[in-house]
Amino acid sequence: MEVIKELPQVFADFAEQRKKSFLTVKELKDKGVPVVGAYCTYFPKEIAMAMGAATVGLCSTSDETIAEAERDLPKNLCPLIKSSYGFAKTDKCPYFYFSDVVVGETTCDGKKKMYELMQEFKDVYMMELPNSQSERGLAFWKEEIIAFKHYLEKKFNVTITDEDVRRAVREENAVRRSLKRFYSTMRHEPTPMTGHDMFKVLYGTTFKLDRSVIPAEIDALTDTIEKEYAAGKRQDKKPRILITGCPMGGATEKVIRAIEENGGVVVAYENCTGTKNVERLVDEEAEDIYQALAERYLAIGCSVMTPNPNRYESLDSLIDEYHVDGVVEMVLQACHTYSVESKSIRDFVTKKKNIPYIYIETDYSTTDVGQLSTRLAAFVEML
């Protein structure tokens, strides 16, 4: 079949978006626009957006600064935590450097203790995340969101109105709808693009500082993909893979490449850089917009939640909707929450959904690229 030729440059542009926005964030600072950085999808960005701030994800996807981080942090710690701290400490992350405040969250033990060290050289605001999605947890999380609003109002001497928050909710919901429509194109069999190209767009948009321009840009891309697919421009038929587990990006894209260079195609990402980040909307018409925000964000299915039913619900629907042939779970070394939950995920995938599963443990180095290729080649061939 004819492979898409018109779109590679678009995908490449999204892949470079993180670097492109380095200059943009400085320009915003020069104009006096507040910048709020965060590391986690539980961060309720609409509150910061409501006061006109730019929100940005911070650097944490390379082993470049891990040696420096290990001067303060233990070596047997999750590479995401060490990378985050290392980029912050060495000032090698422009987004961190220009952030007026970094929003931390009490997800895993390693991250929340790392934030304590980070507070020694950066203004870090900690949001205390409940560890369950109960009614009590929801009430507490709503209080935390409102407390964050009050913090921003005091720090930046602004007033954030309910209508400001609703405006930001509508803006970010539009982004989510467009991205969901974009990645839904992977339901086609065969697929219209590679899973890596899909990932470049999903990951790249997290570094688009002007959220208002994203929907039109993504909708135009999706329209082009659908038009070219209808004209017969598509990938060859391949085993369809879903990736779940820890956040991806940067160094860990080696897992995507290992799957696709060995004959598979990644059709869905059930992780923080995939559907988990955009699949749920905030109720724009809710009488209590802070309750609506709390419900949306607390419903994210992360392994830090006990129990964690929403992750299984998402996996269930994604496996069916995207006709998944096999599941790859990627877990970062020393990520205890995801590694412990992996047994339940394996049982769910193999016993309830009756499809193959493989567990991949890795870090931000390139030393295991050959081993990853060998294991994932055998997994894809089995499918």
Side-chain angles (χ1 to χ4, degrees):
M1 291 190 178
E2 185 178 2
V3 178
I4 296 172
K5 296 178 181 177
E6 291 82 351
L7 293 171
Q9 186 55 49
V10 176
F11 296 134
D13 289 344
F14 274 101
E16 292 297 312
Q17 186 60 51
R18 186 175 73 89
K19 293 180 181 178
K20 286 181 182 178
S21 292
F22 287 164
L23 181 60
T24 304
V25 73
K26 181 183 183 303
E27 292 171 348
L28 290 174
K29 285 291 293 182
D30 291 342
K31 294 176 182 177
V33 176
V35 178
V36 179
Y39 292 101
C40 184
T41 53
Y42 282 110
F43 165 57
K45 64 175 61 177
E46 289 89 343
I47 300 296
M49 291 168 59
M51 73 166 191
T55 63
V56 66
L58 301 176
C59 307
S60 60
T61 58
S62 163
D63 66 354
E64 178 185 350
T65 62
I66 284 181
E68 182 63 34
E70 288 176 345
R71 294 175 181 266
D72 297 341
L73 299 174
K75 287 181 169 58
N76 62 338
L77 187 65
C78 165
L80 185 152
I81 299 172
K82 291 190 290 186
S83 178
S84 301
Y85 183 80
F87 270 105
K89 186 182 177 184
T90 59
D91 267 341
K92 289 187 175 181
C93 176
Y95 298 130
F96 184 92
Y97 178 82
F98 287 113
S99 290
D100 295 286
V101 61
V102 170
V103 180
E105 76 302 320
T106 56
T107 44
C108 70
D109 290 342
K111 283 182 76 177
K112 66 187 182 186
K113 300 306 288 186
M114 178 272 285
Y115 288 133
E116 291 181 14
L117 300 182
M118 189 180 284
Q119 285 175 332
E120 296 176 5
F121 54 86
K122 192 69 173 182
D123 189 355
V124 178
Y125 181 83
M126 287 295 293
M127 296 192 72
E128 192 170 341
L129 183 73
N131 59 15
S132 75
Q133 295 159 328
S134 64
E135 287 301 316
R136 291 176 62 195
L138 180 61
F140 180 80
W141 187 231
K142 177 185 171 182
E143 291 178 5
E144 283 292 290
I145 289 175
I146 294 173
F148 176 52
K149 179 179 88 82
H150 293 329
Y151 164 81
L152 292 178
E153 289 177 321
K154 183 177 180 180
K155 178 176 176 62
F156 294 98
N157 193 27
V158 296
T159 299
I160 301 173
T161 67
D162 292 0
E163 187 48 45
D164 291 334
V165 177
R166 288 185 189 277
R167 171 186 50 77
V169 164
R170 289 192 289 268
E171 187 172 289
E172 194 60 25
N173 270 353
V175 173
R176 294 179 182 118
R177 290 189 186 98
S178 293
L179 286 173
K180 187 169 184 177
R181 178 171 172 255
F182 163 74
Y183 70 67
S184 292
T185 61
M186 296 298 273
R187 292 174 178 170
H188 287 305
E189 292 192 68
T191 62
M193 57 187 155
T194 68
H196 201 186
D197 283 339
M198 171 176 62
F199 183 85
K200 291 171 188 174
V201 176
L202 294 175
Y203 188 56
T205 53
T206 64
F207 299 101
K208 288 267 190 179
L209 301 182
D210 184 354
R211 309 298 289 172
S212 66
V213 304
I214 296 176
E217 189 172 332
I218 297 298
D219 287 344
L221 173 59
T222 304
D223 290 343
T224 300
I225 289 171
E226 292 286 14
K227 181 179 178 181
E228 295 197 353
Y229 191 86
K233 299 178 181 180
R234 57 194 67 176
Q235 301 293 307
D236 292 330
K237 189 172 176 62
K238 302 172 183 177
R240 301 167 66 85
I241 307 296
L242 178 148
I243 293 181
T244 186
C246 291
M248 300 191 76
T252 51
E253 290 175 48
K254 61 187 175 182
V255 176
I256 307 172
R257 288 191 289 270
I259 292 169
E260 301 204 320
E261 288 171 2
N262 286 290
V265 58
V266 181
V267 295
Y269 296 90
E270 189 285 312
N271 54 22
C272 295
T273 34
T275 60
K276 189 178 294 185
N277 193 31
V278 297
E279 67 179 352
R280 298 178 186 274
L281 302 180
V282 180
D283 183 358
E284 300 172 10
E285 307 304 324
E287 183 177 350
D288 185 339
I289 196 62
Y290 304 102
Q291 178 74 16
L293 278 167
E295 289 174 354
R296 187 268 171 195
Y297 279 95
L298 194 62
I300 292 172
C302 178
S303 65
V304 298
M305 290 294 162
T306 302
N308 185 21
N310 291 346
R311 184 183 180 197
Y312 298 88
E313 179 184 311
S314 179
L315 277 170
D316 195 17
S317 61
L318 287 171
I319 288 171
D320 291 346
E321 290 176 22
Y322 290 82
H323 308 117
V324 171
D325 298 310
V327 170
V328 173
E329 180 159 28
M330 186 214 75
V331 176
L332 294 171
Q333 289 177 0
C335 179
H336 301 309
T337 55
Y338 272 100
S339 60
V340 172
E341 193 167 86
S342 65
K343 178 189 182 303
S344 302
I345 295 297
R346 181 185 67 233
D347 290 346
F348 176 82
V349 171
T350 59
K351 295 177 181 178
K352 181 172 181 180
K353 305 306 293 183
N354 297 309
I355 59 174
Y357 163 99
I358 187 172
Y359 176 90
I360 298 292
E361 185 174 286
T362 188
D363 59 13
Y364 287 168
S365 72
T366 58
T367 57
D368 62 349
V369 168
Q371 180 193 60
L372 284 175
S373 180
T374 300
R375 292 188 63 201
L376 289 167
F379 182 72
V380 171
E381 186 173 343
M382 175 185 68
L383 302 177

